[in-house]
Amino acid sequence: MDSYKLLFTNNLIAFLAIFLASVAMKYLSGFDAEIGSYLYLPIGAKILVFLLFGRQVLPGVMASCIFCGVILFGSWGGNFVWGAVGALMGALAPLISMWFIQKLKMIDFSNLKDIDFRHILFLIFFTAIIHALSRFVIYAKSEVFSISPIDFLSHYLVGDMLGGIVVIWTVLKILPLFVSATNLSKV
């Protein structure tokens, strides 16, 4: 029973992390499904929760992606199915990247203490490419959106890369300060 509680808690944390990153992005830089954002923070939150909790948080990530993509951003263009499919690809892009990188035996993401920040940067860049290309194919096929390939891909690539770097770097820099301050207050 404790394993189910832990699974539920981890998925709830994943849902909330992506939701908070989405809300922060919406109010910091805005979002338009046809051109994306130059600071797409949710991709960093997705990568981070997958690094921390593994594949077990996929349901929480998918639920948050659909909720944020469809409700918060209105990125369905009037067609819920295309919006949900696009949101699901956003949830799967980090996992696909991690799987592919591990299959090439470049990096093992199962042991976080052995991961260098350069490995995380490579994961962010590779995820951004997969995410941008998958969204482009989905949105171009949907015929719901009027997208310009150059604008769409450049905005999504830059936004994913910057958003991923900002979220993960911020968490790596601020979380240790918070943890050490909490430990000092217990002394």
Side-chain angles (χ1 to χ4, degrees):
M1 191 62 161
D2 286 336
S3 65
Y4 291 116
K5 287 181 184 178
L6 182 63
L7 181 65
F8 178 76
T9 304
N10 290 347
N11 275 284
L12 183 62
I13 291 169
F15 182 94
L16 290 174
I18 295 164
F19 175 74
L20 292 173
S22 298
V23 168
M25 181 203 65
K26 183 174 181 175
Y27 293 108
L28 287 174
S29 65
F31 181 78
D32 181 0
E34 292 183 3
I35 59 169
S37 170
Y38 276 131
L39 188 62
Y40 190 72
L41 299 175
I43 200 76
K46 293 171 201 175
I47 292 170
L48 189 62
V49 296
F50 283 130
L51 285 172
L52 292 175
F53 303 116
R55 292 184 306 253
Q56 70 175 350
V57 294
L58 182 61
V61 172
M62 290 169 73
S64 188
C65 287
I66 291 173
F67 178 80
C68 293
V70 174
I71 305 299
L72 190 61
F73 300 135
S75 64
W76 69 87
N79 188 326
F80 177 78
V81 174
W82 287 112
V85 170
L88 291 176
M89 279 311 300
L92 293 174
L95 280 180
I96 293 169
S97 298
M98 292 170 83
W99 173 81
F100 188 73
I101 291 170
Q102 284 180 312
K103 282 296 175 192
L104 293 176
K105 299 193 186 318
M106 295 171 67
I107 305 162
D108 182 17
F109 292 109
S110 62
N111 191 358
L112 288 181
K113 66 181 178 185
D114 293 337
I115 297 176
D116 189 345
F117 189 69
R118 292 174 292 176
H119 300 146
I120 295 173
L121 282 176
F122 182 72
L123 175 62
I124 291 168
F125 294 148
F126 197 63
T127 301
I129 292 168
I130 290 174
H131 184 240
L133 290 175
S134 66
R135 287 268 173 108
F136 175 72
V137 169
I138 290 166
Y139 288 171
K141 285 280 192 193
S142 73
E143 297 178 3
V144 172
F145 298 103
S146 171
I147 57 175
S148 163
I150 302 294
D151 287 341
F152 184 90
L153 289 172
S154 63
H155 282 98
Y156 269 86
L157 283 171
V158 170
D160 287 355
M161 289 178 197
L162 289 177
I165 292 168
V166 165
V167 167
I168 293 174
W169 184 84
T170 302
V171 168
L172 289 176
K173 290 296 181 183
I174 292 177
L175 191 60
L177 295 175
F178 178 72
V179 171
S180 65
T182 309
N183 289 339
L184 290 176
S185 67
K186 290 181 182 178
V187 176

